[in-house]
Amino acid sequence: MDSIHKLQEIFANFPGIGPRQARRFVYYLMNKSPSFLNEFTKLVSEIKKSVFECENCHRFSAVADSHAKQTKCNICSDINRDDTTLLVVARDADLDAIESSGAYKGRYFVLGGSVPILDKEPQRRIRLETLLKHISDSENSNEENSRALKEIIISMNSTPEGDHTADIVRDALRRIKMDLKITVLGRGISTGAELEYLDKDTIQNALQNRH
Amino acid sequence: MDSIHKLQEIFANFPGIGPRQARRFVYYLMNKSPSFLNEFTKLVSEIKKSVFECENCHRFSAVADSHAKQTKCNICSDINRDDTTLLVVARDADLDAIESSGAYKGRYFVLGGSVPILDKEPQRRIRLETLLKHISDSENSNEENSRALKEIIISMNSTPEGDHTADIVRDALRRIKMDLKITVLGRGISTGAELEYLDKDTIQNALQNRH
Amino acid sequence: MDSIHKLQEIFANFPGIGPRQARRFVYYLMNKSPSFLNEFTKLVSEIKKSVFECENCHRFSAVADSHAKQTKCNICSDINRDDTTLLVVARDADLDAIESSGAYKGRYFVLGGSVPILDKEPQRRIRLETLLKHISDSENSNEENSRALKEIIISMNSTPEGDHTADIVRDALRRIKMDLKITVLGRGISTGAELEYLDKDTIQNALQNRH
Amino acid sequence: MDSIHKLQEIFANFPGIGPRQARRFVYYLMNKSPSFLNEFTKLVSEIKKSVFECENCHRFSAVADSHAKQTKCNICSDINRDDTTLLVVARDADLDAIESSGAYKGRYFVLGGSVPILDKEPQRRIRLETLLKHISDSENSNEENSRALKEIIISMNSTPEGDHTADIVRDALRRIKMDLKITVLGRGISTGAELEYLDKDTIQNALQNRH
């Protein structure tokens, strides 16, 4: 396969991109100046240096201008956040969505992915051991009882893969001895939905989670 | 306005129909045989005779072939349904959706509509007094405590109009003296939804209703 | 089948309506007042009396208030229209679309339908004989050569059924002896279309009909 | 702006990509291995070396494995193509669409873009001078009359920008003295379209281009 088709294939694996749009990307780049291509590839090459993974929650953040090496992201460094809840998400984009809703003021943990239903080695898809260690550290670190971790909110997509990942996380959490509440996001009617058009599952969840 | 345009205007007020499709309906009927039109208008004229409104829950049902006058629908007549919950819906179509989910085995009450936000006379839109009377009758009728009404589930669309209607119903229920639990459907993530694409309200509800 | 389901089935055959919306129509009518239902069925019953079919082009028009019996529609009665072209359409709605484009000033003929590909008896679907007679009458009626019919524009949908109907009409026109130009609508790129997203057929037509 | 946001902004300018998907691309790359990023940037850097622009029609093609320097693409090198027609397109993707329709067997010329309506310097957007030179060369090169260039097909999108670009090309072609037919793609009904839903412009074009 020539290098043009290799590049097209790489683009076709970008999230939400099909072969046709991948081809358009290749044409788009072909028509760009060498200086543009240079800047683009430089930014891509340096992406690992431009971001750092928070040692605490494992989300990626842009490296600030300071020379000091950063190890914790701005959320983990914020002493005003609520230490009593830890929200576990699959990916950075999920964390972004929840953070920008303004509805959550606690801590986060990014699993780094989700687990397909027939996958045999979930530990290769998500950082489960790191999560367990993070939780046991959190439990020990806070002498002050009022700020100790009390609840873990498993926040996955409402899809079969999300449900499966949530099950794996829940099972792992239950195996370690701890005195924590484990919750999941409420299932039910989303904002703006009309009863008449709901699927059976959502009606069932909405009824079960009535309050 | 000539009678063709009057008919077009009537069709344009049918649910989900715009002026263009209303015009197509008129053309469709123009091309039909007199015997078809005759059957159609006969069925429409007799629609009130073909259905009866359940005196209990106020849903419409087709009249059965028997000569005996029916007053209760098949759900209200079913002694195996759970008398302890009453699910209040706006319209028959909502009841159909919930019933066909198979997730609910209690009783229903159809309000007959919902209340637009700026509406001054909600009692002209929904049968609120009838609901209150129905509830107080239900409370008294069941000597047997285990089958007495215990919970009212207000099941409205997750829209501003649905929320407003739910508020009106809840307020009215609270004004009458009674010992009943009042609940609403769970709000949250609907089946199949991805966190990344949720609106702020739904994220907020999903977090608040976590369990 | 009870009369409610019969009515639902009739609505489900209305153009563009599925079983679900048909059900909503029935609920909509159930909730209407007897006087509304009365007006509605009266308008439907009188639809044949409210319109007349033009004896010339066979389109339907609303009957005007006058007592005089109308036999020709306002387009056929308009002496300023161009007699030299006759545009043949399948249905009244197609005529409306062309007329409201303002791009055509000639005469029309409505076939009353189109012919499905495997249909054995096209003459039961479209008024083909009437068209042939109409054309031969038009040819004879105009002594004045400058106003004589010169071209027949067969204007069908660009679908297999439309193409098939056009073929049937063209074949019939060719069988009768006459000195008329027979044309079809130009196929090609529609307004706003982008080359990159065109199907093969449309590209082929656009190339073939380049000018 | 940090380098992450710079990269996100570059992706947001890729064809069809908004800020949200650009962000997902950045996250996608963050999670990729250094070796993947290395291959990706290498392919992008070498894109100019991997393709060559045909000196004749100016389309891009992948460089073949041979060491010989290529100057003409496979279409321009194909002696079986029809030399009498030259189809002028805005972009490589348009050429691909037409080529894969199989409906055209002549030669191509890629303008390299199109001209926005208020643009003051069209010559910076499209290679107009090169086209004029290419045509005059073609006219002179073919001694044999039967293979001489006879027609130029200006094939632009059916959009205001496409129309404007076609006007500019047509004007330029008319200014040079030559004995060539200049055509545009046929406008009309696209395959599968229904008369009832056509816009006025398309009806007008379909009538005008009837045949």
Side-chain angles (χ1 to χ4, degrees):
Chain A
M1 189 167 53
D2 61 53
S3 60
I4 291 303
H5 287 95
K6 266 187 218 151
L7 183 57
Q8 191 179 326
E9 209 160 76
I10 284 179
F11 278 131
N13 281 314
F14 271 47
I17 300 304
R20 192 163 197 164
Q21 207 170 0
R23 195 182 178 85
R24 298 180 76 194
F25 285 2
V26 173
Y27 278 131
Y28 175 78
L29 291 178
M30 274 181 198
N31 283 291
K32 285 294 178 184
S33 67
S35 70
F36 172 93
L37 294 179
N38 211 40
E39 197 204 346
F40 177 51
T41 53
K42 194 162 164 284
L43 289 169
V44 172
S45 308
E46 288 173 358
I47 198 167
K48 297 271 187 190
K49 277 178 267 172
S50 314
V51 294
F52 70 98
E53 192 181 309
C54 174
E55 63 173 20
N56 219 35
C57 72
H58 298 274
R59 70 190 276 245
F60 290 106
S61 302
V63 171
D65 282 334
S66 77
H67 286 283
K69 205 186 165 230
Q70 285 170 288
T71 54
K72 286 191 183 181
C73 73
N74 62 337
I75 296 178
C76 288
S77 313
D78 183 349
I79 55 164
N80 295 316
R81 306 280 304 204
D82 173 12
D83 290 321
T84 64
T85 56
L86 182 72
L87 194 141
V88 179
V89 293
R91 292 179 189 82
D92 288 77
D94 301 330
L95 187 156
D96 289 350
I98 292 167
E99 191 62 11
S100 71
S101 79
Y104 181 70
K105 294 295 169 202
R107 303 294 181 185
Y108 291 99
F109 186 89
V110 180
L111 288 175
S114 54
V115 185
I117 284 178
L118 294 175
D119 196 84
K120 300 281 184 213
E121 299 178 289
Q123 67 279 14
R124 297 187 61 174
R125 299 274 186 173
I126 59 176
R127 46 180 83 88
L128 200 50
E129 289 311 312
T130 319
L131 171 64
L132 300 181
K133 185 166 181 321
H134 177 68
I135 290 170
S136 98
D137 288 355
S138 302
E139 281 195 298
N140 299 332
S141 71
N142 255 305
E143 297 299 307
E144 219 187 314
N145 189 52
S146 71
R147 301 199 62 177
L149 179 59
K150 291 186 184 64
E151 178 181 356
I152 301 196
I153 309 168
I154 306 175
S155 305
M156 300 294 135
N157 289 340
S158 171
T159 57
E161 183 163 329
D163 288 347
H164 182 57
T165 309
D167 286 347
I168 289 170
V169 173
R170 195 187 292 103
D171 288 353
L173 291 177
R174 280 181 183 155
R175 274 197 303 273
I176 63 169
K177 206 179 141 191
M178 55 166 203
D179 187 28
L180 292 174
K181 198 170 148 188
I182 301 172
T183 58
V184 293
L185 293 181
R187 295 279 171 93
I189 313 186
S190 58
T191 306
E194 298 184 35
L195 278 175
E196 201 180 336
Y197 301 111
L198 294 184
D199 60 290
K200 292 185 182 195
D201 262 16
T202 298
I203 289 181
Q204 200 156 5
N205 286 323
L207 276 167
Q208 207 171 309
N209 300 331
R210 69 184 187 265
H211 55 92
Chain B
M1 191 165 54
D2 61 54
S3 59
I4 291 303
H5 287 95
K6 265 188 219 154
L7 183 56
Q8 191 179 325
E9 209 160 76
I10 283 179
F11 278 130
N13 282 314
F14 270 47
I17 300 305
R20 193 164 196 163
Q21 208 169 359
R23 195 183 178 84
R24 298 180 76 193
F25 286 2
V26 172
Y27 278 131
Y28 175 78
L29 291 179
M30 275 181 198
N31 284 291
K32 286 293 178 182
S33 67
S35 71
F36 172 92
L37 294 179
N38 210 41
E39 197 204 347
F40 177 51
T41 54
K42 193 163 164 283
L43 288 169
V44 172
S45 306
E46 288 174 357
I47 199 168
K48 297 271 186 189
K49 276 179 267 172
S50 315
V51 293
F52 71 97
E53 191 181 308
C54 174
E55 63 173 19
N56 217 35
C57 72
H58 298 275
R59 70 188 277 244
F60 289 106
S61 301
V63 171
D65 281 334
S66 77
H67 286 285
K69 207 189 164 226
Q70 285 171 289
T71 54
K72 287 192 182 179
C73 73
N74 63 337
I75 297 178
C76 287
S77 313
D78 183 348
I79 55 163
N80 294 317
R81 307 277 306 201
D82 173 11
D83 290 321
T84 65
T85 57
L86 181 72
L87 195 142
V88 179
V89 293
R91 291 179 190 81
D92 288 75
D94 302 328
L95 187 156
D96 288 350
I98 293 167
E99 191 61 12
S100 70
S101 80
Y104 181 70
K105 294 295 171 205
R107 303 295 181 182
Y108 292 99
F109 185 91
V110 181
L111 287 176
S114 55
V115 185
I117 284 178
L118 293 175
D119 196 85
K120 300 281 184 212
E121 298 178 289
Q123 67 278 13
R124 296 188 62 174
R125 299 276 186 172
I126 59 177
R127 46 179 85 87
L128 200 50
E129 289 310 312
T130 319
L131 170 64
L132 300 182
K133 186 165 181 320
H134 177 69
I135 291 170
S136 98
D137 289 357
S138 302
E139 281 195 297
N140 300 333
S141 71
N142 255 305
E143 296 299 307
E144 218 186 313
N145 190 51
S146 70
R147 301 199 63 176
L149 180 60
K150 290 187 185 63
E151 178 181 355
I152 300 194
I153 308 169
I154 306 175
S155 304
M156 299 294 134
N157 289 340
S158 171
T159 57
E161 184 164 328
D163 288 346
H164 183 56
T165 309
D167 286 345
I168 288 170
V169 173
R170 196 187 292 102
D171 288 352
L173 293 176
R174 279 180 183 155
R175 273 198 304 275
I176 62 168
K177 208 179 139 189
M178 54 166 205
D179 188 30
L180 292 173
K181 200 169 148 189
I182 301 172
T183 58
V184 293
L185 293 180
R187 295 280 170 92
I189 314 186
S190 57
T191 305
E194 298 184 38
L195 278 174
E196 201 180 336
Y197 301 111
L198 294 184
D199 60 290
K200 293 186 180 193
D201 261 18
T202 299
I203 289 182
Q204 201 156 5
N205 286 324
L207 276 166
Q208 207 172 309
N209 300 331
R210 69 184 187 265
H211 55 93
Chain C
M1 189 164 55
D2 61 53
S3 59
I4 291 303
H5 286 96
K6 266 187 218 154
L7 183 56
Q8 191 179 327
E9 210 161 73
I10 284 179
F11 278 131
N13 281 315
F14 271 48
I17 300 304
R20 192 164 196 163
Q21 207 170 358
R23 195 183 178 84
R24 298 181 76 194
F25 285 2
V26 172
Y27 278 132
Y28 175 78
L29 291 178
M30 275 179 197
N31 283 291
K32 285 294 179 183
S33 68
S35 71
F36 172 93
L37 293 179
N38 211 40
E39 197 204 346
F40 176 52
T41 53
K42 193 161 164 283
L43 289 169
V44 171
S45 307
E46 288 174 357
I47 199 167
K48 297 271 187 189
K49 275 177 270 172
S50 314
V51 294
F52 71 99
E53 193 181 308
C54 173
E55 62 174 20
N56 218 36
C57 71
H58 297 275
R59 70 190 277 246
F60 289 106
S61 301
V63 172
D65 281 334
S66 77
H67 285 285
K69 206 186 165 229
Q70 285 170 288
T71 54
K72 287 191 183 181
C73 74
N74 62 336
I75 296 177
C76 288
S77 313
D78 183 349
I79 55 163
N80 294 316
R81 306 279 304 204
D82 173 12
D83 289 322
T84 65
T85 56
L86 181 71
L87 195 142
V88 179
V89 293
R91 291 180 190 81
D92 288 77
D94 301 329
L95 188 156
D96 288 349
I98 292 168
E99 190 61 13
S100 70
S101 79
Y104 181 70
K105 294 296 170 203
R107 303 293 181 186
Y108 291 99
F109 185 90
V110 181
L111 289 175
S114 54
V115 185
I117 285 178
L118 294 174
D119 196 85
K120 300 281 184 213
E121 299 179 288
Q123 66 279 14
R124 297 187 62 174
R125 298 275 186 173
I126 60 176
R127 44 180 85 88
L128 201 49
E129 289 310 313
T130 319
L131 171 64
L132 300 181
K133 186 166 181 322
H134 177 68
I135 290 169
S136 97
D137 289 355
S138 301
E139 281 195 298
N140 300 332
S141 70
N142 256 304
E143 296 301 306
E144 221 187 312
N145 189 51
S146 71
R147 301 199 64 177
L149 180 59
K150 291 187 185 62
E151 178 181 355
I152 301 195
I153 309 167
I154 306 175
S155 306
M156 300 294 135
N157 289 339
S158 171
T159 56
E161 182 163 331
D163 288 347
H164 183 57
T165 308
D167 286 345
I168 289 171
V169 173
R170 194 187 294 102
D171 288 353
L173 291 177
R174 280 180 184 156
R175 274 198 304 273
I176 62 169
K177 207 177 142 190
M178 56 166 202
D179 187 29
L180 291 174
K181 199 170 147 189
I182 301 172
T183 58
V184 294
L185 293 181
R187 295 281 170 93
I189 314 186
S190 57
T191 306
E194 298 183 35
L195 278 174
E196 201 180 336
Y197 301 112
L198 293 184
D199 59 291
K200 292 184 181 196
D201 261 17
T202 298
I203 289 182
Q204 199 156 5
N205 286 324
L207 276 166
Q208 207 172 308
N209 301 330
R210 68 185 188 266
H211 55 91
Chain D
M1 191 165 54
D2 60 54
S3 59
I4 290 304
H5 286 95
K6 267 188 219 152
L7 183 56
Q8 190 179 327
E9 210 161 74
I10 284 179
F11 279 130
N13 281 315
F14 271 47
I17 299 304
R20 192 165 197 163
Q21 207 170 358
R23 195 184 179 84
R24 298 180 76 193
F25 285 3
V26 173
Y27 279 131
Y28 175 78
L29 292 178
M30 274 182 199
N31 284 291
K32 286 294 178 183
S33 67
S35 71
F36 172 93
L37 293 179
N38 211 39
E39 198 205 345
F40 176 51
T41 55
K42 193 162 164 284
L43 289 168
V44 172
S45 308
E46 289 174 356
I47 199 167
K48 297 271 186 190
K49 275 178 268 172
S50 314
V51 294
F52 70 99
E53 192 181 307
C54 174
E55 62 174 19
N56 218 36
C57 72
H58 298 274
R59 70 189 278 245
F60 290 106
S61 301
V63 172
D65 281 334
S66 78
H67 286 284
K69 205 186 166 231
Q70 285 170 288
T71 55
K72 286 192 183 179
C73 74
N74 63 336
I75 296 177
C76 288
S77 313
D78 183 349
I79 55 163
N80 294 316
R81 305 279 306 203
D82 173 12
D83 290 321
T84 65
T85 56
L86 181 71
L87 194 142
V88 179
V89 294
R91 291 179 189 81
D92 287 77
D94 301 329
L95 189 155
D96 288 350
I98 292 167
E99 191 61 12
S100 70
S101 80
Y104 181 70
K105 293 296 171 204
R107 304 294 182 184
Y108 291 99
F109 185 90
V110 180
L111 288 176
S114 54
V115 185
I117 284 178
L118 295 175
D119 196 85
K120 300 281 184 213
E121 299 178 290
Q123 66 278 15
R124 298 187 61 175
R125 299 275 185 172
I126 59 175
R127 44 179 86 87
L128 201 49
E129 290 310 313
T130 319
L131 171 64
L132 299 182
K133 187 167 180 321
H134 177 69
I135 290 169
S136 98
D137 289 357
S138 302
E139 282 196 297
N140 300 332
S141 70
N142 255 305
E143 296 299 307
E144 219 187 312
N145 189 51
S146 71
R147 300 199 64 176
L149 180 59
K150 291 186 185 64
E151 177 182 357
I152 302 196
I153 308 168
I154 306 175
S155 305
M156 299 295 135
N157 290 339
S158 171
T159 57
E161 184 164 327
D163 288 346
H164 183 57
T165 308
D167 286 346
I168 288 170
V169 173
R170 196 188 291 103
D171 288 353
L173 292 176
R174 281 181 183 155
R175 274 198 303 274
I176 62 170
K177 208 179 139 190
M178 54 164 205
D179 188 28
L180 291 173
K181 199 169 147 190
I182 301 171
T183 57
V184 293
L185 294 180
R187 295 282 170 91
I189 313 187
S190 57
T191 306
E194 298 184 35
L195 278 175
E196 201 181 335
Y197 301 111
L198 294 184
D199 60 289
K200 293 185 180 194
D201 262 17
T202 298
I203 289 181
Q204 199 156 6
N205 286 324
L207 275 166
Q208 208 172 309
N209 300 331
R210 68 184 187 266
H211 54 93

